[in-house]
């Protein structure tokens, strides 16, 4: 049997037995699945030995490459020691060490870590903690949320309350207790003579107008600091975060920083909030924190929040739980990831890398007539494409794959969010193949 026949049988099995995420399954009548056999560094290899540069870190999770030997070694040692134990009434070394190291990275401003397994659960935990905090402190009416237009904080029913992406939300509207959206500080909204900071101030004024009227029933504002990822790599000025922090203080509303996508160095600093010089009341991590190895999410919060739950009364405690809360393997992967940050001075190295990526894309697509708003924040680069034909994003995806490149545009926004380990040759490959795929999908 030829490997092609074998593969097409395998793909048919996948399409019939596996319900793939974020996918209209019928589209796979035209677009074949890619069966991946193994990964190495920034590359994925399929069953025919074809390779693909992973330009989106396998949905923004992989920081230091596939089959990373250092993370692999740490996990193998953990596997032989303790694979899992419940975290209620029990504790273990990886979860304690990880919590302490994350607290230290926040200068101990966010010294308490609560664990779950995916980003949407971290969002829900922060929302529940915020509301429960206000209840425990005698203000139960503060139970509503504010998010930004175009926000994405996950797709479970609770997280959809603060997610403003119609295609993910509309079908479930009857289930969702919607929050309020206030205007995004999207820097692309700058009018002639306006800076990104001006747009931020305008958006903050709208936030203030909302809070001035509704602070009594508002528990928290949730934001994706600096970059709104899933709605198309919307970038904005850190001034917005400074103003939002000040407004949340003035109106006694929690600030939740969803750093699930932008945390762990992606934005250029370890936490994106550092670039605004502020700390939130809740900070969410997932995606990159385990190096892209295992599902893990973490909600970091303050002594003030923690203390409001500390009581003789069980019901005043935060009783939320998941079976795999604080899984030792996932925590070990996160510790190995933090080790790489420290040992390799990754934040400094990324500064140079992101500059090279910016230069490569500037020369590859910067002058293209259809390219607008070429923009970059740390290790995220994006541009919008005008006059796109119908089905542009799927067409671009297919054209890029033919050129050994994995990129999945969001609508007409093409972006890359690569692993942090790209060499100069790979950066050039990424930019030039992206330009070629763009040309082909506009033809
Ligand atoms: C991916 C993402 C989430 C949801 O995480 P899941 O693990 O997919 O549930 C939440 N917020 C942001 C900003 C994200 O990028």
């Amino acid at each position: 049997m030829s490997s092609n026949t074998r593969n097409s049988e395998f793909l048919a099995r996948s399409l019939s037995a596996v319900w793939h995420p974020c996918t209209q399954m019928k589209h796979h009548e035209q677009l074949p699945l890619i069966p991946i056999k193994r990964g190495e560094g920034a590359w994925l290899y399929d069953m025919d030995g074809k390779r693909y540069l992973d330009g989106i870190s396998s949905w923004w999770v992989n920081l230091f490459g596939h089959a990373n030997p250092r993370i692999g070694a740490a996990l193998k040692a953990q596997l032989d020691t303790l694979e899992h134990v419940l975290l209620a009434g029990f504790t273990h070394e990886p979860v304690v060490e990880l919590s302490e190291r994350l607290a230290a990275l926040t200068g101990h401003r966010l010294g308490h870590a609560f664990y779950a397994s995916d980003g949407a659960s971290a969002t829900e935990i922060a929302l529940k903690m915020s509301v429960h905090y206000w209840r425990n402190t005698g203000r139960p009416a503060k139970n509503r949320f504010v998010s930004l237009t175009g926000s994405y904080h996950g797709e479970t029913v609770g997280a959809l309350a603060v997610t403003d992406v119609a295609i993910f939300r509309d079908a479930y509207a009857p289930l969702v207790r919607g929050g309020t959206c206030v205007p995004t500080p999207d820097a692309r909204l700058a009018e002639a003579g306006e800076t990104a900071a001006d747009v931020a101030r305008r958006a903050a004024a709208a936030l203030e107008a909302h809070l001035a009227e509704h602070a009594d029933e508002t528990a928290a504002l949730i934001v994706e600091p600096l970059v709104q990822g899933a709605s198309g790599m919307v970038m904005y000025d850190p001034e917005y975060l400074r103003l939002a922090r000040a407004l949340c203080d003035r109106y006694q509303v929690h600030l939740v920083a969803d750093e699930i996508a932008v945390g762990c160095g992606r934005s250029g600093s370890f936490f994106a909030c550092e670039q605004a010089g502020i700390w939130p009341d809740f900070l969410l991590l997932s995606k990159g924190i385990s190096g892209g190895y295992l599902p893990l999410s973490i909600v970091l919060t303050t002594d003030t929040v923690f203390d409001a739950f500390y009581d003789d009364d069980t019901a005043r405690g935060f009783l939320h739980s998941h079976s795999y809360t604080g899984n030792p393997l996932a925590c070990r992967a996160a510790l190995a990831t933090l080790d790489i940050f420290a040992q390799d001075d990754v934040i400094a190295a990324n500064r140079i890398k992101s500059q090279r990526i910016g230069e490569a894309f500037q020369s590859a697509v910067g002058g293209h007539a259809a390219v607008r708003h070429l923009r970059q924040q740390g290790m995220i680069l994006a541009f919008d494409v005008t006059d796109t034909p119908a089905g542009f994003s799927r067409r671009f995806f297919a054209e890029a794959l033919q050129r050994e490149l994995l990129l999945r545009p969001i609508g007409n926004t093409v972006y890359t969010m690569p692993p942090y380990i790209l060499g100069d040759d790979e950066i050039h490959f990424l930019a030039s193949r992206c330009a070629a795929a763009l040309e082909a999908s506009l033809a």
Side-chain angles (χ1 to χ4, degrees):
M1 207 185 333
S2 80
S3 89
N4 257 347
T5 321
R6 252 197 335 265
N7 282 354
S8 58
E9 277 171 19
F10 176 75
L11 296 181
R13 278 167 53 206
S14 187
L15 287 174
S16 116
V18 183
W19 198 337
H20 292 266
C22 202
T23 298
Q24 169 49 263
M25 293 294 287
K26 191 164 195 289
H27 287 162
H28 280 303
E29 289 177 8
Q30 271 89 48
L31 189 70
L33 283 167
I34 316 291
I36 294 300
K37 181 120 184 159
R38 64 183 190 92
E40 189 182 333
W43 297 90
L44 295 165
Y45 295 85
D46 75 12
M47 287 180 171
D48 293 323
K50 255 194 93 184
R51 62 173 197 167
Y52 309 92
L53 185 74
D54 188 351
I56 57 166
S57 300
S58 286
W59 261 356
W60 323 351
V61 300
N62 187 293
L63 301 190
F64 299 117
H66 297 279
N68 181 290
R70 288 144 91 184
I71 302 174
L75 275 176
K76 285 169 196 161
Q78 185 63 46
L79 260 179
D80 288 335
T81 314
L82 176 68
E83 81 302 331
H84 186 66
V85 63
L86 74 166
L87 197 63
F90 293 78
T91 188
H92 53 81
E93 204 183 301
V95 79
V96 173
E97 197 185 330
L98 179 57
S99 307
E100 288 179 347
R101 282 174 68 176
L102 289 171
L105 284 172
T106 70
H108 298 280
R109 287 166 185 89
L110 301 165
H112 305 273
F114 195 95
Y115 287 81
S117 313
D118 57 72
S121 298
T123 295
E124 302 221 357
I125 286 163
L127 301 183
K128 283 177 69 179
M129 268 186 186
S130 174
V131 164
H132 200 161
Y133 169 92
W134 294 117
R135 177 183 152 98
N136 279 354
T137 55
R139 304 182 71 182
K142 284 170 79 68
N143 59 39
R144 300 215 152 249
F145 305 109
V146 182
S147 61
L148 302 180
T149 49
S151 55
Y152 181 93
H153 299 289
E155 292 170 53
T156 54
V157 170
L160 281 175
V162 288
T163 286
D164 181 40
V165 180
I167 191 136
F168 297 142
R169 182 164 154 166
D170 285 355
Y172 318 103
L175 305 181
V176 176
R177 178 175 180 253
T180 300
C181 280
V182 294
T184 169
D186 183 349
R188 292 173 303 181
L189 301 174
E191 282 161 22
E194 257 192 336
T195 63
D198 292 331
V199 180
R201 282 186 278 273
R202 218 171 350 110
L207 170 63
E208 169 148 36
H210 177 79
L211 293 181
E213 250 186 66
H214 299 285
D216 286 347
E217 69 242 35
T218 303
L221 164 70
I222 181 166
V223 297
E224 294 158 85
L226 300 184
V227 185
Q228 294 182 281
S231 62
M233 302 301 153
V234 172
M235 299 186 186
Y236 64 87
D237 194 276
E239 179 69 1
Y240 186 79
L241 298 173
R242 281 187 285 275
L243 295 169
R245 176 70 274 181
L247 290 170
C248 286
D249 287 341
R250 184 167 338 137
Y251 288 99
Q252 298 197 321
V253 166
H254 288 139
L255 177 61
V256 182
D258 176 351
E259 298 220 6
I260 289 167
V262 295
C264 303
R266 185 54 76 179
S267 74
S269 44
F270 189 84
F271 300 114
C273 282
E274 293 173 62
Q275 293 182 49
I278 60 127
W279 291 101
D281 301 288
F282 299 91
L283 192 149
L284 317 183
L285 294 176
S286 187
K287 292 205 164 98
I289 187 62
S290 71
Y293 269 67
L294 286 159
L296 179 69
S297 65
I298 306 169
V299 178
L300 299 174
T301 191
T302 60
D303 289 346
T304 308
V305 169
F306 180 80
D307 291 346
F309 290 79
Y310 201 81
D311 198 90
D312 292 322
D313 180 1
T314 305
R316 285 176 66 96
F318 191 63
L319 304 184
H320 188 103
S321 63
H322 296 284
S323 311
Y324 282 98
T325 300
N327 174 255
L329 286 165
C331 291
R332 182 58 71 196
L335 287 166
T337 300
L338 294 182
D339 284 344
I340 295 176
F341 271 101
Q343 289 160 9
D344 296 3
D345 201 357
V346 168
I347 299 295
N350 276 0
R351 233 169 265 139
I352 298 162
K353 217 153 271 191
S354 73
Q355 197 184 334
R356 298 230 166 101
I357 292 170
E359 288 161 2
F361 274 84
Q362 186 60 50
S363 85
V365 301
H368 196 290
V371 170
R372 298 279 183 284
H373 298 294
L374 180 59
R375 55 194 181 273
Q376 196 179 10
Q377 177 70 56
M379 296 295 282
I380 308 172
L381 180 142
F383 57 87
D384 304 333
V385 184
T386 57
D387 302 319
T388 49
F392 168 76
S393 65
R394 269 182 285 135
R395 176 132 176 234
F396 183 100
F397 173 67
E399 295 289 353
L401 285 176
Q402 280 186 24
R403 292 167 177 78
E404 303 182 312
L405 179 60
L406 164 49
L407 290 178
R408 280 173 55 109
I410 301 171
N412 66 354
T413 299
V414 175
Y415 74 93
T416 181
M417 225 160 139
Y420 302 166
I421 49 154
L422 294 189
D424 284 347
D425 287 354
E426 289 164 331
I427 289 173
H428 177 74
F429 184 98
L430 172 64
S432 59
R433 296 291 169 98
C434 174
L438 176 65
E439 211 54 71
S441 33
L442 291 176

